[in-house]
Amino acid sequence: MFRGKLLAACGALLAIMLALPADAAAQQATGAKAGLNDSQINAALQAAHAKYKNLAEGKNADYIPALAKVDPNIYGIALVTTDGKVYTTGDITSEVSIQSISKVFTMAKVMEEQGADAIEKRIGVDPTGMRFNSIVAVEFAQKVLGGPEINPLVNPGAITATSMVAGTTRDEVWKSLLGFYSDFAGRPLTVNQDVFKSESDTNQRNQAIGYLMYAYEFIKSDPMRATDVYTEQCSVNVNAKDLATMAATFANGGKNPVTGKQVMKAENVPGVLSVMAIAGLYDDSGKWLYNTGLPAKSGVGGGIIAVSPGRFGIAVISPPLDDAGNSVRAQRAIADISNTLGGNPYAAGAHSSEKARAE
Ligand code: DON
């Protein structure tokens, strides 16, 4: 009985070993490091695009007037593997403003310039459990928790991080920041001047946050300059492929897999991804992580990036947002695609692509 089972198991093992070369060949020159082939990836992207194309939930952000005017039908999906293959579907030429997604790249910039400790000690790396522009969160951290207990992905921490970017003049800071973002995207990025003006005209709350952070000595330079640079960084134009390439650079240890440029130190990537995991989708960060396992970041322009470490970066752009401020289609499409492709880093052995190969 036992001998029979052993022989059957050996037979199955032999069959798997014989099947392997064909499988490996199919993955050559494709998303091989991601353990996936072209048709699996394209099918996943196209299925998610079709499934949510007519979803009519959510609405554009309108507290920044220019965002209310963006076409809500823009819907683009891109995935970039760590070996530099780019997969896209839907609208990938339209650009939206990067908004809060910029916060992770500014955080990374500060870590590059001052080390990982600078973020942890000066701002904090803990979730606030409150809205992204909460002033109560700052007061609570100061008065109840007693120190730097927020994070660089909510506005008070983000404006503080922007204030920490090295440079003697505003122009120097801005050029260095935009150059850093562009290296992640692999092309020179530009600013959406309409969005920048619209937000500059209406960002009194962020100015108040800037002054509050200055009063508490988190910000040690001109808080209005920091708020202004922060507003400009949020106005950078990106398409889905830019965002996916930026995410893939994190997935690839800080090296842009398309251009081959080492944009940031590999040692700083885990810190950025950790904060994305705890705070990337604001009040819904826990729910998102529970369902996907992916460090991610959303922006009120309608983009979301997500990172499957060592495998791929993915991005979706679709402006209508849910009540938490996260793109409705982007959340659903990324969750579907990642779960189909086995992107969840916590789910080793349970990936559907691995299951599909084993069956
Ligand atoms: O500071 C703001 O309000 C915007 N520039 C960015 C907010 C944002 O993207 C939050 N996102 N989910």
Side-chain angles (χ1 to χ4, degrees):
M1 180 73 179
F2 173 74
R3 209 163 151 251
K5 276 193 180 157
L6 191 66
L7 281 175
C10 288
L13 194 61
L14 191 64
I16 290 169
M17 285 166 76
L18 287 174
L20 269 179
D23 206 21
Q27 285 169 16
Q28 260 178 21
T30 66
K33 264 163 104 191
L36 300 161
N37 64 43
D38 286 348
S39 52
Q40 285 174 307
I41 298 174
N42 283 323
L45 263 58
Q46 281 155 18
H49 189 269
K51 187 167 169 192
Y52 300 116
K53 195 170 162 24
N54 297 318
L55 185 72
E57 287 174 34
K59 78 179 203 18
N60 283 25
D62 56 9
Y63 74 98
I64 299 169
L67 298 187
K69 291 190 252 152
V70 176
D71 179 1
N73 297 315
I74 294 171
Y75 180 31
I77 304 180
L79 183 149
V80 178
T81 62
T82 47
D83 42 9
K85 289 216 68 180
V86 179
Y87 303 83
T88 59
T89 191
D91 183 353
I92 51 140
T93 51
S94 291
E95 296 177 327
V96 296
S97 53
I98 189 168
Q99 295 298 337
S100 281
I101 302 171
S102 67
K103 291 166 177 168
V104 293
F105 302 99
T106 299
M107 172 188 178
K109 174 94 168 125
V110 172
M111 291 169 88
E112 288 298 287
E113 292 176 355
Q114 301 186 27
D117 271 8
I119 292 289
E120 188 178 354
K121 300 221 165 90
R122 177 114 151 237
I123 297 172
V125 290
D126 285 305
T128 63
M130 294 180 210
R131 299 286 297 179
F132 65 86
N133 56 4
S134 171
I135 287 170
V136 172
V138 177
E139 290 296 317
F140 185 77
Q142 278 306 106
K143 304 278 165 53
V144 181
L145 304 174
E149 295 274 353
I150 55 169
N151 67 74
L153 305 189
V154 290
N155 289 14
I159 297 169
T160 302
T162 302
S163 80
M164 293 165 75
V165 173
T168 44
T169 62
R170 186 206 185 280
D171 197 42
E172 206 178 303
V173 170
W174 175 246
K175 283 197 176 124
S176 152
L177 205 51
L178 187 63
F180 192 64
Y181 289 14
S182 299
D183 283 345
F184 274 92
R187 71 166 182 123
L189 297 175
T190 57
V191 172
N192 183 321
Q193 295 298 338
D194 278 352
V195 171
F196 183 32
K197 179 168 184 339
S198 178
E199 187 166 353
S200 299
D201 289 346
T202 54
N203 72 348
Q204 290 76 20
R205 186 179 180 92
N206 282 344
Q207 292 174 18
I209 289 171
Y211 267 117
L212 185 63
M213 297 310 275
Y214 182 68
Y216 281 133
E217 297 178 354
F218 288 92
I219 294 180
K220 297 179 195 296
S221 50
D222 177 2
M224 288 306 91
R225 182 173 106 176
T227 309
D228 185 43
V229 175
Y230 163 79
T231 306
E232 188 162 10
Q233 80 178 42
C234 289
S235 309
V236 167
N237 267 326
V238 281
N239 60 38
K241 184 186 158 202
D242 295 327
L243 286 178
T245 310
M246 294 168 99
T249 302
F250 286 137
N252 196 37
K255 183 177 186 174
N256 184 319
V258 178
T259 65
K261 180 167 181 173
Q262 189 74 42
V263 180
M264 68 181 289
K265 294 186 200 90
E267 72 199 47
N268 284 333
V269 172
V272 176
L273 296 184
S274 311
V275 180
M276 286 168 71
I278 56 121
L281 266 72
Y282 300 106
D283 311 356
D284 280 347
S285 298
K287 208 192 292 176
W288 170 263
L289 196 64
Y290 188 83
N291 286 304
T292 66
L294 299 182
K297 184 72 201 85
S298 63
V300 291
I304 297 185
I305 62 169
V307 179
S308 180
R311 307 185 84 213
F312 57 79
I314 182 168
V316 176
I317 287 178
S318 168
L321 311 178
D322 65 13
D323 290 343
N326 301 312
S327 165
V328 177
R329 284 197 195 105
Q331 289 176 81
R332 304 230 184 135
I334 294 175
D336 275 20
I337 294 165
S338 175
N339 290 337
T340 303
L341 300 180
N344 186 335
Y346 297 116
H351 294 150
S352 28
S353 60
E354 283 168 17
K355 274 195 216 143
R357 275 201 293 276
E359 277 158 8

